[in-house]
Amino acid sequence: MSHKHEFAAGFEAAGRPTRRRRISIAATLTIVLILTLAQIFFKIARNPDYSHTNSRDGFDWESITPSRELRYVPCDGRYQCARLLLPMDWDAPEGTRWSNTVAIALMKLPAAIDILDPRYRGELFVDPGGPGASGVNFIKTQGDHLCSIVNDDSAVFDIVGFDPRGISRSTPRFSCFRAGNLQGRAIFAQNEGKGPWSERTLPIVWAKSAAFGHMCDPGNDTSEEALIKYYMTTASVAADMVGFIEASGARRAALLEQITSSRRSTGIQVSAEKLKELEYHPGQEKLQYWGFSYGTTLGGYFASMFPEKVNRMMLDGSGYLPDWAEGKWMAFLTNIDESLRTIFTTCFAAGAKCALFDPAGPAAIESSVMYVLDELKTNPIPIWRDDMVYPDVLTQEMVLESMFTATYDPYRRYPALARALYALQDRQNLNMTAISEFLPTQSIRSSDRDCASKDCAVEDGNWYHEANVAVSCSDTDPYMHNRSFSTFEQWSNDIHKQSRLFGHYFASDSTMACNGWPIRSRFRFDGPFGAKTSHPILFISNTLDPMSPVDNSMAGLDLFPGSGIILTNSGGHCSPRVPSRCRSEHIGNYMRTGDLPESGAVCETDYAVFEEP
């Protein structure tokens, strides 16, 4: 007898499992399995950006005095840190441009050679996405991996990450909450409207977004903490990157003079060719850049605004620039259901290595998962133990959110997700004590006493939501701030048609937050997008990227004539999450030689999901 599950509607699900497996080992599941279940459902669901992890610095950033000159100091062991002072408003008259400033935090993983070495190729700036993710964190977690791709015996780069203006270690920080209100920020973040909506819940979530907008209104406040709210656009950060490369050029010139003077005094010859290559030409410096996810939007803005300043640019997991700027956001989810389906196909291929394996095939695995989701919708799992502040429940929305984030990082998250979903098939034997420890509602900061940064801005991931909204709503067409509820409802339904599992979740976590947004940005770029850049751009894409369909990268090739693309036959969001030596070789070759891959180049992965490397 067939049984069509509600959530299988968009998945071509093939009926109820013919035999709901007796999970004989479920009663003896180890605590490790339950910890995994809790982690996958509660700890990793808040934000899928791999760079967005709570980070405790071993370095006091406040010890660096911000400067208009780029002054790196040793920090966190082998890294170098700087706080670069730049104008808050790049459009301000020259005489008053420096009246209000931002201090940008930069962290460098330096090349292990000096700049006169023939192998030295300059600085590669990276942005992990978001918007709102920390480039400093990204350098600490992914810097070595990026170095292994772009560096070899012939060429070595400095890798530089930065926290964009208003975010994390860069000051003034964007915030809508009053200083010290850590509890309010945490409670708000934990109660964002997510998941399937009803006629009753949608207006509530809509109104809640408007309330957040009211709180963010700077009113007549003229402090830098209030003024930064008007200058959070991607265009402002693109202009900041011009500031980066100019400050870097001036620093290179000073360092070059220092080194050459020292060498000449000892009789060591310096290559005239290398000296010419390293000369600083004010206003003519060019950018080397690798942007991931939203970082491709930042790169696309830069290339559209300053096409003559591109030396190397890699856009990895691209959005579609006009779609972003208009706030339509219809170019994200077209792949995600097919991308999620890979958990079922790869699980079947992996056999017993996947906890959800069913010899009946991928459709049977998918159907068992949809059955669990249907059960959770009407029968969520109660969670309680004596030391909890209050009881909670494991809901369908929590599982959907975890499934959504897992599509970003299938190699790392699919195995744990499979184990967690498998465990849910035997609800009677779940260890409630272990699960309750990981409920986010049980841990709310009340002070920054144990944090190195003010208001735990670096340590507390709840700051991410504010930064994400600030940039997204600053970039979108102001029309999106004032659209009617009926217009939004129709847009939400259109998104839902793209993905019946995740459409409403995505809608609630994207431009809905711009409802009633009170801030009109004072530095914007509305296009035209695209240009003939001074060096071709390399687009990088996974064929089943859940949030950046290949079509976006193909559209980028049209916007930026002469550019190239390298595809990897895989799911996962952006290249660092998918192992492929073939792709890495293409990326490294582009950075070192400037050559694009041959047209139509497609790479395979080094090994399959659920397989050991």
Side-chain angles (χ1 to χ4, degrees):
M1 179 179 69
S2 67
H3 172 76
K4 185 163 183 171
H5 305 299
E6 176 183 349
F7 277 93
F11 272 78
E12 306 172 352
R16 185 172 184 165
T18 55
R19 178 172 61 92
R20 197 173 174 211
R21 290 172 289 165
R22 294 175 182 172
I23 312 173
S24 59
I25 65 169
T28 58
L29 283 173
T30 66
I31 200 72
V32 173
L33 173 63
I34 301 304
L35 289 174
T36 301
L37 174 65
Q39 286 176 318
I40 194 72
F41 285 154
F42 300 118
K43 290 188 76 177
I44 68 173
R46 293 308 309 165
N47 174 41
D49 280 329
Y50 46 78
S51 62
H52 178 56
T53 55
N54 295 350
S55 174
R56 185 174 296 277
D57 288 325
F59 173 74
D60 180 11
W61 284 83
E62 297 297 322
S63 68
I64 303 178
T65 301
S67 170
R68 290 168 65 170
E69 297 176 350
L70 190 54
R71 299 172 181 168
Y72 283 106
V73 299
C75 64
D76 273 355
R78 60 203 176 107
Y79 302 101
Q80 296 178 1
C81 295
R83 297 178 69 199
L84 181 63
L85 212 57
L86 295 172
M88 185 178 289
D89 179 7
W90 284 99
D91 267 348
E94 187 65 36
T96 60
R97 184 168 297 173
W98 294 91
S99 298
N100 295 292
T101 58
V102 293
I104 307 298
L106 301 101
M107 175 175 275
K108 176 192 291 189
L109 181 55
I113 55 177
D114 71 44
I115 64 173
L116 285 177
D117 191 301
R119 297 170 294 168
Y120 181 71
R121 298 298 180 84
E123 294 174 317
L124 172 61
F125 290 88
V126 298
D127 183 276
S134 164
V136 170
N137 289 355
F138 188 58
I139 287 295
K140 291 195 282 188
T141 59
Q142 296 289 326
D144 286 328
H145 175 63
L146 302 184
C147 281
S148 72
I149 295 173
V150 300
N151 294 344
D152 71 0
D153 292 338
S154 67
V156 183
F157 296 83
D158 295 318
I159 312 293
V160 184
F162 59 95
D163 290 353
R165 55 169 56 210
I167 293 169
S168 196
R169 300 162 186 83
S170 292
T171 56
R173 296 184 183 97
F174 179 95
S175 179
C176 295
F177 289 89
R178 290 190 181 93
N181 187 9
L182 278 71
Q183 290 175 306
R185 180 177 289 110
I187 293 170
F188 181 83
Q190 291 173 9
N191 288 278
E192 295 173 80
K194 296 278 197 310
W197 295 339
S198 67
E199 291 183 359
R200 169 63 178 157
T201 60
L202 182 57
I204 295 174
V205 178
W206 171 257
K208 186 175 180 180
S209 291
F212 180 75
H214 295 328
M215 181 178 66
C216 290
D217 192 343
N220 296 320
D221 192 344
T222 58
S223 67
E224 288 199 331
E225 286 71 18
L227 290 177
I228 188 62
K229 296 180 179 182
Y230 295 101
Y231 300 101
M232 290 290 293
T233 60
T234 300
S236 290
V237 182
D240 289 344
M241 290 203 295
V242 176
F244 297 169
I245 58 177
E246 289 297 325
S248 180
R251 179 180 179 275
R252 186 181 68 244
L255 188 59
L256 186 62
E257 177 61 30
Q258 178 184 341
I259 294 175
T260 54
S261 296
S262 174
R263 291 194 176 186
R264 284 168 182 159
S265 67
T266 57
I268 299 176
Q269 295 298 315
V270 180
S271 165
E273 182 179 354
K274 190 64 179 178
L275 288 174
K276 183 173 179 61
E277 176 189 328
L278 294 172
E279 284 181 357
Y280 171 45
H281 301 284
Q284 299 179 39
E285 291 293 303
K286 293 184 178 181
L287 176 71
Q288 299 186 125
Y289 177 77
W290 192 350
F292 304 86
S293 191
Y294 160 79
T296 67
T297 299
L298 174 56
Y301 270 67
F302 183 94
S304 299
M305 296 167 66
F306 312 106
E308 76 285 355
K309 295 184 180 296
V310 174
N311 184 11
R312 300 283 192 275
M313 180 171 286
M314 298 183 291
L315 302 183
D316 194 332
S318 290
Y320 181 50
L321 292 171
D323 180 68
W324 172 271
E326 293 169 8
K328 292 180 178 179
W329 289 35
M330 298 296 293
F332 287 96
L333 295 188
T334 58
N335 250 6
I336 194 167
D337 285 359
E338 189 176 358
S339 185
L340 176 68
R341 200 174 283 118
T342 61
I343 190 175
F344 311 125
T345 56
T346 57
C347 179
F348 178 71
K353 294 178 180 179
C354 173
L356 284 170
F357 174 71
D358 189 323
I365 299 171
E366 179 181 331
S367 188
S368 69
V369 171
M370 298 306 157
Y371 186 89
V372 167
L373 288 174
D374 282 351
E375 261 196 316
L376 282 171
K377 182 175 183 180
T378 57
N379 189 18
I381 299 174
I383 300 173
W384 168 252
R385 76 175 190 190
D386 289 341
D387 62 347
M388 287 175 64
V389 178
Y390 51 85
D392 217 312
V393 293
L394 175 63
T395 66
Q396 181 195 75
E397 287 78 9
M398 290 176 179
V399 177
L400 283 173
E401 190 172 3
S402 295
M403 291 171 67
F404 180 88
T405 61
T407 64
Y408 276 58
D409 198 355
Y411 279 83
R412 188 167 66 93
R413 292 184 174 175
Y414 274 7
L417 178 63
R419 292 191 295 270
L421 290 169
Y422 177 75
L424 281 178
Q425 294 181 30
D426 186 10
R427 297 159 64 108
Q428 298 304 313
N429 291 293
L430 291 177
N431 187 317
M432 299 303 177
T433 299
I435 292 175
S436 67
E437 288 186 8
F438 293 90
L439 283 170
T441 50
Q442 304 304 305
S443 178
I444 296 178
R445 293 182 187 273
S446 59
S447 77
D448 60 5
R449 185 174 51 211
D450 60 341
C451 296
S453 60
K454 182 180 179 181
D455 280 355
C456 301
V458 173
E459 295 85 356
D460 191 345
N462 291 323
W463 279 76
Y464 174 86
H465 173 78
E466 289 177 84
N468 185 275
V469 171
V471 178
S472 302
C473 297
S474 294
D475 279 355
T476 56
D477 191 311
Y479 158 78
M480 301 297 289
H481 306 169
N482 301 305
R483 57 185 166 170
S484 66
F485 175 76
S486 61
T487 301
F488 169 77
E489 187 175 30
Q490 180 59 55
W491 173 79
S492 174
N493 289 334
D494 291 341
I495 291 287
H496 182 60
K497 291 175 184 176
Q498 290 185 342
S499 174
R500 294 186 180 277
L501 277 180
F502 304 123
H504 281 160
Y505 164 75
F506 176 77
S508 71
D509 204 35
S510 56
T511 61
M512 187 184 70
C514 301
N515 173 35
W517 190 247
I519 303 164
R520 297 297 177 262
S521 302
R522 297 174 182 173
F523 187 88
R524 290 175 53 85
F525 178 75
D526 296 314
F529 291 102
K532 179 69 173 177
T533 53
S534 50
H535 191 86
I537 295 171
L538 175 60
F539 287 86
I540 304 167
S541 182
N542 299 328
T543 54
L544 286 177
D545 189 310
M547 285 296 288
S548 298
V550 173
D551 287 348
N552 292 347
S553 293
M554 294 301 182
L557 296 180
D558 293 332
L559 290 174
F560 298 98
S563 298
I565 187 170
I566 180 65
L567 301 177
T568 305
N569 189 21
S570 174
H573 185 43
C574 303
S575 67
R577 293 184 168 110
V578 177
S580 174
R581 287 187 294 271
C582 165
R583 181 201 56 235
S584 294
E585 288 171 3
H586 282 293
I587 291 172
N589 185 63
Y590 168 78
M591 282 302 303
R592 294 186 290 267
T593 70
D595 295 338
L596 294 169
E598 293 182 5
S599 178
V602 180
C603 288
E604 299 298 327
T605 60
D606 295 339
Y607 53 92
V609 179
F610 296 104
E611 297 290 338
E612 293 295 326

